[in-house]
Amino acid sequence: MDSFSPEAIAEAVATRRHLHANPELKYEERGTADLVASRLRGLGYAVETGVAETGVVGLLDTGRPGPTIAFRADMDALPILEDTGLPYASTVPGRMHACGHDGHTASLLLAASGLAGIAGRLSGRIKLLFQPAEEGGLGAARMIAAGVLDGVAAIYGYHNRPAYPLGRVFAKTGPTMGGSSLYEVTISGKGGHASRPDLTVDPIFVGTAVVQALQSVVSRRLSPLESGVVTVTQFHGGNSHNIIPMAATLAINTRDGSPAAFERIDQELRWVIAQTCEAHGATAAIEQTMRIPSVVNDAGETDFVLATALDMVGPDRSGRMDSLPTMGAEDFAFYLERVPGCFFFVGNGEDSAYLHHPRYDYRDEILPVAAGMFTAIAERRLGGR
């Protein structure tokens, strides 16, 4: 953190607040991308824009042989009406940076300035990935498809964490954040008049049985040593007061704490739905419409990041997590499926509103902490320490 001047930190704060006031949803981050690209060019980075539509990649090549490492920040906001009353609150009704991606972007830009300043004592290359559409848009997968991981030996990223001490840096080896899947289920029965249910196979009745039966997937079919959630988020059927419809549809969201938990939940969910429908004379079509895997940190890279944090912020402000900090999904998982790396956390304050809350705000005090972690990681990996 000492490598950042007060002026550089003040610029990062101003950048963060500008981004907060001007939020852009997934694949609409054009103003953010323009700002990022301009800053990187000014620092001497080779810049590629339009990656996965609105992503930006900055490359710092030291000119000396060595590995290539990558750092990632996400840029998109959420469709939430802000209720903070801050002087830099969102100027776009119904949109806000409720997850801290404004801070993630600003901190990686601050790190970019620090990295440019120490490039003379590094070897290898550094890729800075400014990613669109983390919030349900699978932006990471599209960035990978565009080739951003080509030649990359390791990747690092972070997320701010409400409810943890301000500026505390921590990480967990192995499964670290939950995976998420979305399913669309169509239950087909036999329609008819509401007065003669005995002549029908009522898909609404069957659907209620499915909703109840699904609660057994985690409570009775998943090991209690694993983490999982199955939630029915939508249930639609019928359009008349006196007609039993031919079909009903369910939307299901699942969360899993590990790849093994996902496999079990997926298998049992499909079995429970099919068997419940069959028992009532109905059929089910099940389509998985989205899958974000769980974040799985590499053991060696996590040890490396924690050692870096220990040196940078000390034992009282760093440490290892032994349990999942959240079942929320994070598409950084796609990067970790391809190359080793570590997704770490920086505390946003114990009094912080939670992520995706209309009163959430990223704390500016952690900008130099996160940026300092990026620069320290690079110096250790590429500086021969």
Side-chain angles (χ1 to χ4, degrees), residues 203-363:
I204 294 177
F205 173 77
V206 177
T208 62
V210 168
V211 172
Q212 292 295 317
L214 284 172
Q215 304 313 305
S216 70
V217 170
V218 171
S219 66
R220 290 297 180 268
R221 299 177 182 275
L222 185 68
S223 166
L225 302 179
E226 291 277 11
S227 300
V229 179
V230 176
T231 302
V232 178
T233 56
Q234 296 181 48
F235 190 161
H236 301 284
N239 55 19
S240 175
H241 73 282
N242 63 351
I243 298 174
I244 293 173
M246 293 289 293
T249 61
L250 304 178
I252 303 171
N253 180 280
T254 69
R255 304 291 168 135
D256 52 86
S258 70
F262 160 67
E263 294 293 341
R264 183 67 170 172
I265 290 171
D266 180 75
Q267 171 187 319
E268 296 298 332
L269 176 145
R270 294 175 184 275
W271 187 87
V272 164
I273 293 172
Q275 295 298 311
T276 303
C277 288
E278 182 180 350
H280 291 281
T283 60
I286 305 169
E287 180 184 3
Q288 186 184 67
T289 58
M290 189 186 77
R291 172 64 188 162
I292 300 174
S294 54
V295 174
V296 181
N297 280 337
D298 178 81
E301 293 295 346
T302 303
D303 289 345
F304 167 74
V305 165
L306 288 171
T308 303
L310 179 65
D311 284 352
M312 194 185 86
V313 299
D316 294 335
R317 298 182 64 202
S318 64
R320 185 182 300 274
M321 285 290 294
D322 293 322
S323 59
L324 282 171
T326 176
M327 285 295 285
E330 166 54 74
D331 74 359
F332 193 85
F334 288 111
Y335 300 115
L336 292 175
E337 285 188 325
R338 299 297 187 95
V339 298
C342 178
F343 193 71
F344 60 94
F345 302 92
V346 180
N348 199 53
E350 294 164 291
D351 58 346
S352 170
Y354 199 68
L355 304 172
H356 294 209
H357 191 282
R359 294 186 180 177
Y360 166 85
D361 187 39
Y362 179 102
R363 295 286 294 274

Side-chain angles (χ1 to χ4, degrees), residues 82-104:
E82 183 162 353
D83 186 29
T84 63
L86 293 166
Y88 50 86
S90 172
T91 59
V92 186
R95 300 181 183 182
M96 74 170 289
H97 271 292
C99 202
H101 297 185
D102 50 343
H104 300 166

Side-chain angles (χ1 to χ4, degrees), residues 115 304 308 312 371-381 385:
L115 293 167
F304 167 74
T308 303
M312 194 185 86
M373 281 296 298
F374 286 138
T375 56
I377 288 169
E379 195 159 20
R380 280 173 170 258
R381 284 299 302 264
R385 291 182 60 185

